[in-house]
């Protein structure tokens, strides 16, 4: 689960979960010039797929450590060996952001950690099982057509959208973790501006150093 590039400081909650999913896809390499309607269709399909998945047991080793803010990560799944890394410093910051923005009804205490674990558990599920092919079919993107033969294509970022929707559903969250990662990105951008003298200060005082963008290893 990655802290993405910071959006403008408008009311982040005004954008719904599908809207954030579309933004995630639009910011993913290979989608720069895609039709917005196509991205919206993929976002809806991936969100629905993730929300409909049955609960997945996390069978990977779970490791908790600091350093997530430096990497720009809440959590990460690595496949060799199967391991879920939970970054406690970023999770703690996320909990403070939830309180500061008045989102506690959407993200109950402890739900950030639970959602991060669920998110990475479903990445492992999609990585090793038949669900990955099922997601491709649900998206309806064709990589190759030969007569009646249709080979489903990969849609970069769709698995991430599905994982966020799954975490929202199984953890009973009021909003997708995508909204929270956007708020985290905005928070760390504010910290950067404060340190460089270009901003007006952080909404949450005494936060750790700003995050740098990094991608989940799979």
């Amino acid at each position: 689960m990655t802290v993405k590039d910071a959006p403008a400081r408008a009311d982040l909650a005004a954008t719904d979960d599908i809207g954030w999913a579309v933004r995630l896809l639009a910011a993913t390499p290979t989608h720069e010039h895609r039709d917005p309607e196509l991205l919206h269709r993929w976002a809806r399909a991936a969100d629905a797929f993730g929300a409909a998945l049955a609960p997945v047991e996390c069978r990977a080793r779970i490791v908790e450590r600091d350093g997530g803010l430096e990497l720009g990560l809440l959590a990460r799944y690595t496949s060799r060996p199967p391991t879920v890394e939970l970054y406690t410093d970023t999770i703690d910051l996320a909990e403070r952001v939830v309180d500061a923005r008045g989102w506690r009804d959407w993200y109950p205490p402890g739900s950030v950690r639970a959602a991060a674990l669920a998110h990475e558990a479903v990445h492992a599920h999609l990585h090793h099982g038949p669900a990955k092919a099922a997601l491709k079919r649900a998206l309806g993107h064709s990589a190759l057509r030969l007569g009646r033969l249709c080979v489903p294509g990969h849609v970069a970022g769709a698995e991430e959208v599905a994982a966020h929707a799954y975490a929202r559903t199984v953890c009973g969250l009021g909003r997708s973790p995508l909204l929270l990662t956007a708020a985290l990105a905005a928070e760390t951008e504010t910290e950067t501006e404060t340190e460089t003298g270009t901003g007006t200060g952080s909404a949450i005082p005494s936060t750790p150093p700003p995050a740098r963008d990094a991608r989940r290893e799979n």
Side-chain angles (χ1 to χ4, degrees):
M1 183 180 291
T2 305
V3 177
K4 299 294 183 181
D5 293 336
R9 287 195 204 107
D11 181 6
L12 301 179
T15 299
D16 65 14
D17 291 349
I18 297 299
W20 283 116
V22 171
R23 290 189 184 197
L24 185 155
L25 293 179
T28 300
T30 73
H31 296 326
E32 294 89 345
H33 305 294
R34 297 280 193 188
D35 182 352
E37 288 299 320
L38 177 61
L39 294 179
H40 196 272
R41 187 161 68 248
W42 282 344
R44 281 196 173 280
D47 184 272
F49 181 88
L53 283 173
V56 174
E57 179 184 358
C58 182
R59 297 181 178 178
R61 182 172 64 111
I62 300 171
V63 177
E64 296 191 10
R65 56 169 51 109
D66 288 335
L69 286 164
E70 183 179 356
L71 294 170
L73 292 171
L74 266 167
R76 175 168 57 183
Y77 169 71
T78 56
S79 59
R80 298 179 182 178
T83 303
V84 172
E85 298 172 330
L86 299 175
Y87 292 95
T88 55
D89 54 342
T90 315
I91 291 172
D92 289 345
L93 174 59
E95 292 284 2
R96 298 200 297 275
V97 168
V98 167
D99 284 331
R101 289 183 176 265
W103 293 348
R104 190 51 75 187
D105 287 347
W106 292 337
Y107 305 102
S111 63
V112 175
R113 183 188 184 281
L117 183 58
H119 180 104
E120 300 308 326
V122 87
H123 271 306
H125 177 67
L126 291 172
H127 185 82
H128 295 291
K132 189 169 189 175
L135 174 58
K136 287 183 179 181
R137 292 193 296 271
L139 293 166
H141 175 52
S142 298
L144 177 67
R145 284 185 179 276
L146 293 173
R148 294 183 178 181
L149 175 64
C150 176
V151 179
H154 172 70
V155 175
E159 182 181 316
E160 191 73 6
V161 173
H164 280 296
Y166 170 81
R168 179 192 67 217
T169 303
V170 299
C171 295
L173 306 181
R175 289 292 306 267
S176 169
L178 273 170
L179 172 61
L180 185 52
T181 57
L184 275 170
E187 172 62 26
T188 55
E189 181 190 60
T190 300
E191 281 292 301
T192 301
E193 291 182 354
T194 301
E195 291 180 357
T196 59
T198 59
T200 58
S202 171
I204 302 175
S206 303
T207 52
R212 295 194 296 268
D213 183 54
R215 293 193 179 276
R216 175 186 56 80
E217 295 178 2
N218 195 2

